[in-house]
Amino acid sequence: MLISLSIRDIVLIDALDLDFSEGLGVLTGETGAGKSILLDALGLALGARADSGLVRPDSKQGIVTACFTLPPDHALYRYLQQNALTVEDGESLIVKRIVKADGGSRALLNDQPISVSLLKDVSSYLIEIHGQHDERGLLNPRSHRLLLDNFGHIDTSSVSAAYAYWQETEKALKQALLLKEEREQDKEWLEDAVQELTAFAPQDGEEASLADERKMLQKGARLAEDMEAIGQWIDGTDGALSLLRQAGRRLGRISFEYPALAEALESLDKALNEAGDASERLGHAAMMLDNDPNRLDAIEARLFELRALARKHRVAPDELPNFVKELQGKLEQIESGEQGIALLQAENKSARQNYQQAAEKLHQSRKKTAENLDEAVMAELPPLKMEAARFQTKIEKLEASQWGSEGCDRVEFTISTNPGADFAPLMKIASGGELSRFMLALKVVLAGAEGTETIIFDEIDQGVGGAVASAIGERLARLSEKSQLLVITHSPQVAARAAQHWLIQKHHPQSSAKKTFATRTEVKALTFDERREEIARMLSGAEVTDEARAQARRLLRH
């Protein structure tokens, strides 16, 4: 809801502060008093083009500030958060537009700079202006489908869920087909790689085992000559063990002759035992370091091939066993992929059919709701002096590429204003007053189906009077029970319905040497007696008569 409007140095407005309340508010005044200036100023705050010509002469800049309040759960707060604007739910929104006399402008929302395009988006949540100055809201076909659904209380959640599931299966199928295509291109390579690696049969930890064995065999080759000589020295015919045994036998024959000889024999026996152990260990070492050239060649060939395969497939040698399993798994996926794709295709087809069935059901609900909407709008037209007009909600099925979570329909409100004329979009209506009255009819019927908090009608009663003006006033009052309405009017019947009434008039103060631009537009909130006098003026013209005042009192009692 619009709470206040502050205007500084815009065209003929020097300084103006207006406070607004709920319900129906009207602005009246003689032709040329400046009502359009007020709308231009408000439009500026809502994102209209900033023209430096709007700045009052002798001023450096013009400023328009509008303050709004919204329910805490209003969709605009989520939109502001999505656009990185810091505004708490339920916080008042203060929109300010500054226009410089030398060109350029700035837009602020709660003192945060915003672009003009974002300001326009924000204002679409806040206010609608119908008439010759601005066309938005109901004239935008993109909103018609939602308005129709809201009017008929149509639940689109089942269609949205069906569409989401269909798109999920569509995505999974596309990914599977793409993966299959990629894998098919690699199938021949995979088969060759698996065959090669399977034939080689790499084992866990094989590289370290082969490297250790190769190292030992290389040591054996290097030590073989030395070990052979040592063996001859210890175990040969003339080796140490043979000589020690000969010495022991001979010493044994004489050891009883002298105690020292017995001790020498004992030491010699120990030497023979130690020499035997050395010979046995030397034999074991020779066995471990057995220099088998064929075995060394085989070990080296295996090790080099293992490392070459690892480099070829860009993995560590110890990772080759698991790499083989991975490649085998990919081959199995390719072989079983056709079956998986067939299942996905069946699931996708079923999901599409379910969506189409739900969308068709929604389409039929919309057609029935459209008939009710058309009938309701048509009933509102005759009292508004639009007896020849016809209204039709046009529903067309979209191409499959345009289907979405809200169904398969394109919805547009159309009208024919003359007998025999074709139906056309609302924007094709030529007369501003006729368009405003038609917008009023739609607004009355769709009351509660929209989220806009404030609606402005500019001269909705243009060219009508009497019973039609009364009908307009009655409908505006009814609509103001659900939305805040501001109406610029020349009709006393409409003005009499207002909860708030402002008079717009020009003021001509005496010019001074410093001020070359003296004319000012002023807006005054009227008391009840002042309202009666203004409505009487609207009834009688320049000279207010007692009869006009009496008629004004009767209108105000409505």
Side-chain angles (χ1 to χ4, degrees), residues 223-489:
L223 300 175
E225 186 178 347
D226 289 338
M227 292 180 64
E228 184 177 356
I230 294 169
Q232 287 297 322
W233 290 340
I234 296 176
D235 260 337
T237 304
D238 295 326
L241 276 174
S242 177
L243 294 174
L244 284 173
R245 289 189 188 102
Q246 291 179 26
R249 285 194 299 271
R250 193 151 185 178
L251 183 58
R253 288 197 296 269
I254 64 172
S255 60
F256 62 88
E257 296 290 345
Y258 190 72
L261 294 175
E263 293 175 358
L265 180 60
E266 183 179 351
S267 295
L268 186 58
D269 287 339
K270 291 180 180 179
L272 280 167
N273 288 334
E274 292 293 332
D277 287 343
S279 177
E280 186 176 332
R281 290 175 182 176
L282 186 62
H284 179 69
M287 187 184 301
M288 293 296 295
L289 299 173
D290 183 20
N291 182 23
D292 182 355
N294 293 330
R295 175 63 180 167
L296 179 59
D297 290 344
I299 290 295
E300 287 184 337
R302 175 81 179 175
L303 179 60
F304 295 157
E305 187 175 0
L306 177 70
R307 289 173 174 171
L309 284 172
R311 288 194 300 272
K312 178 180 179 180
H313 295 291
R314 298 181 181 179
V315 297
D318 287 343
E319 295 175 0
L320 280 175
N322 288 332
F323 184 66
V324 177
K325 295 177 183 178
E326 181 182 336
L327 296 185
Q328 289 172 334
K330 289 182 177 181
L331 270 178
E332 291 173 1
Q333 287 179 340
I334 291 175
E335 292 167 359
S336 63
E338 290 295 337
Q339 181 180 0
I341 287 174
L343 291 174
L344 283 174
Q345 287 173 331
E347 186 178 12
N348 177 252
K349 181 179 179 180
S350 175
R352 179 189 172 107
Q353 290 174 342
N354 289 338
Y355 169 75
Q356 287 180 283
Q357 290 172 0
E360 178 60 27
K361 185 177 179 181
L362 177 60
H363 174 73
Q364 296 302 325
S365 295
R366 282 174 173 157
K367 286 179 63 177
K368 184 177 180 180
T369 300
E371 292 175 0
N372 295 333
L373 177 61
D374 295 350
E375 183 180 348
V377 174
M378 289 291 292
E380 292 291 332
L381 297 180
L384 298 176
K385 202 178 180 181
M386 298 180 71
E387 300 90 344
R390 292 176 297 152
F391 173 79
Q392 183 181 80
T393 303
K394 186 178 180 181
I395 302 178
E396 295 178 337
K397 287 196 173 182
L398 298 168
E399 296 292 331
S401 60
Q402 297 177 294
W403 294 353
S405 59
E406 300 301 321
C408 308
D409 302 318
R410 179 179 182 274
V411 178
E412 184 173 11
F413 299 153
T414 64
I415 189 171
S416 169
T417 55
N418 297 302
D422 292 334
F423 285 92
L426 302 183
M427 288 294 291
K428 301 297 183 181
I429 300 174
S431 167
E434 189 175 48
L435 176 59
S436 293
R437 294 200 303 277
F438 184 74
M439 289 295 103
L440 175 60
L442 262 178
K443 286 288 185 182
V444 170
V445 172
L446 294 173
E450 300 176 87
T452 307
E453 299 294 326
T454 300
I455 306 169
I456 295 178
F457 286 100
D458 180 15
E459 299 186 356
I460 191 174
D461 48 9
Q462 186 178 31
V464 300
V468 176
S470 295
I472 291 174
E474 187 273 329
R475 281 157 178 77
L476 287 171
R478 196 194 322 164
L479 184 57
S480 70
E481 296 174 1
K482 296 183 178 294
S483 297
Q484 180 191 40
L485 259 64
L486 297 176
V487 181
I488 295 176
T489 182

Side-chain angles (χ1 to χ4, degrees), residues 111-146:
D111 292 326
Q112 300 172 78
I114 61 173
S115 66
V116 175
S117 61
L118 181 57
L119 176 59
K120 289 181 179 179
D121 290 342
V122 169
S123 67
S124 67
Y125 287 86
L126 298 171
I127 199 165
E128 286 186 23
I129 301 177
H130 294 288
Q132 56 186 319
H133 295 276
D134 194 2
E135 310 297 357
R136 62 179 78 188
L138 288 177
L139 295 180
N140 185 352
R142 288 182 297 179
S143 68
H144 294 176
R145 185 171 60 189
L146 178 60

